[in-house]
């Protein structure tokens, strides 16, 4: 199946640093979602974006829906140890009752 | 709190046996649920869309006779892996939207190991 390209694949940062990751698609999506997954668990929704150009924050997390509708970005400011995990973007053509196409994931590791 | 549950959380079975995994929506009705599979260090790949009261829709390359899906009620979808083989060992995750125009929430996943 189709997957979205997510970069970087992995990040090793120190606590307190800011993090940026992005997701690109060859297709247009009308909804972009960002999830975090911890080992052995299902993904947990972080931010949902519904409109091209939209910028939405959730605490230290900020995500943007690209103007072209083919990309999205996630930033984490002042990282803390509990930010460790795998971050996935997901695109959806129509919101809600429709399947998600997931990105390849960005694994975030925080160096003590 | 959790809005979607899965049972069991992990299962080990012998090759050739069948395994049933349940996905339940908690305190809401879900006419549609989705089943994903995730291999180690990989992303989630959609297997099928489970539709209450009708046949599931399978993604290309997913064998419908091997991965049986039953969505018999508005709060329960089941995935049965028939004649499981070691290559079916994976993390199976379901999701459901709270409503037709709501975000999807994921279950905690089921780890399947086929020996």
């Amino acid at each position: 199946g189709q997957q979205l390209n997510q970069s970087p694949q992995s990040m090793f940062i120190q606590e307190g640093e800011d993090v940026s990751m992005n997701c690109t698609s060859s297709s247009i999506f009308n909804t972009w979602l960002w999830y975090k997954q911890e080992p052995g668990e299902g993904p947990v929704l972080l931010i949902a974006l519904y409109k091209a150009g939209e910028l939405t924050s959730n605490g230290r997390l900020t995500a943007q829906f690209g103007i072209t509708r083919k990309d999205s970005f996630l930033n984490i400011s002042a990282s803390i140890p509990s930010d460790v995990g795998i971050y996935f973007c997901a695109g959806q053509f129509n919101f809600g009752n429709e399947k998600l196409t997931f990105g390849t994931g960005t694994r975030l590791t925080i160096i003590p | 709190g959790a809005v979607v549950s899965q049972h069991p959380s992990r299962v080990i079975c012998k090759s050739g046996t069948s395994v049933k995994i349940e996905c339940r929506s908690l305190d809401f009705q879900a006419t549609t649920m989705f089943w994903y599979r995730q291999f180690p260090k990989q992303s989630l790949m959609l297997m099928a869309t489970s539709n209450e009261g009708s046949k599931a829709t399978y993604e290309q390359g997913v064998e419908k006779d091997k991965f049986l899906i039953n969505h018999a009620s508005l709060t329960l979808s089941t995935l049965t892996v028939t004649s499981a083989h070691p290559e079916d060992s994976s993390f199976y995750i379901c999701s459901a939207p709270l409503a037709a125009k709501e975000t999807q929430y994921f279950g905690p996943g089921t780890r399947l190991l086929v020996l």
Side-chain angles (χ1 to χ4, degrees):
Chain A
Q2 181 190 6
Q3 276 194 322
L4 307 179
N5 294 317
Q6 204 171 325
S7 67
Q9 189 174 22
S10 60
M11 300 184 74
F12 296 84
I13 63 168
Q14 290 192 320
E15 185 178 349
E17 288 186 18
D18 296 342
V19 172
S20 291
M21 60 189 78
N22 69 76
C23 191
T24 60
S25 168
S26 57
S27 307
I28 289 174
F29 287 106
N30 294 314
T31 300
W32 282 94
L33 303 159
W34 284 92
Y35 289 88
K36 179 187 177 187
Q37 186 180 30
E38 298 190 19
E41 298 181 10
V44 174
L45 181 68
L46 299 174
I47 293 179
L49 302 157
Y50 311 117
K51 189 177 177 182
E54 179 181 355
L55 187 70
T56 297
S57 294
N58 178 7
R60 294 176 296 105
L61 277 63
T62 302
Q64 184 160 26
F65 191 143
I67 289 291
T68 65
R69 291 193 284 158
K70 291 185 177 182
D71 55 10
S72 181
F73 308 87
L74 176 69
N75 295 313
I76 305 173
S77 62
S79 59
I80 60 177
S82 61
D83 290 335
V84 166
I86 304 176
Y87 292 80
F88 289 102
C89 62
Q92 198 174 31
F93 290 108
N94 292 298
F95 183 50
N97 229 17
E98 215 184 76
K99 64 183 182 182
L100 299 175
T101 300
F102 275 84
T104 47
T106 296
R107 183 180 296 271
L108 178 62
T109 301
I110 295 182
I111 305 167
Chain B
V3 296
V4 177
S5 69
Q6 280 184 243
H7 178 80
S9 58
R10 56 180 63 206
V11 55
I12 301 173
C13 69
K14 292 182 179 179
S15 185
T17 61
S18 294
V19 174
K20 181 186 285 188
I21 302 170
E22 296 183 347
C23 177
R24 292 183 184 274
S25 57
L26 307 177
D27 299 325
F28 72 99
Q29 295 179 335
T31 56
T32 302
M33 292 183 176
F34 300 90
W35 285 98
Y36 295 82
R37 180 167 53 181
Q38 185 178 32
F39 291 108
K41 298 190 177 182
Q42 293 188 21
S43 186
L44 285 76
M45 294 297 291
L46 180 68
M47 298 176 67
T49 303
S50 175
N51 304 299
E52 188 271 333
S54 64
K55 291 182 180 180
T57 305
Y58 290 82
E59 295 299 298
Q60 192 172 6
V62 178
E63 300 174 55
K64 62 179 182 181
D65 294 329
K66 180 170 180 63
F67 299 99
L68 301 179
I69 291 174
N70 185 11
H71 196 148
S73 79
L74 287 170
T75 60
L76 174 64
S77 174
T78 60
L79 169 68
T80 301
V81 183
T82 62
S83 186
H85 288 96
E87 58 264 31
D88 298 323
S89 298
S90 189
F91 194 49
Y92 292 85
I93 312 172
C94 69
S95 74
L98 282 177
K101 294 295 184 183
E102 291 288 335
T103 307
Q104 290 183 31
Y105 289 87
F106 284 81
T110 297
R111 174 79 57 195
L112 170 63
L113 177 60
V114 184
L115 301 177

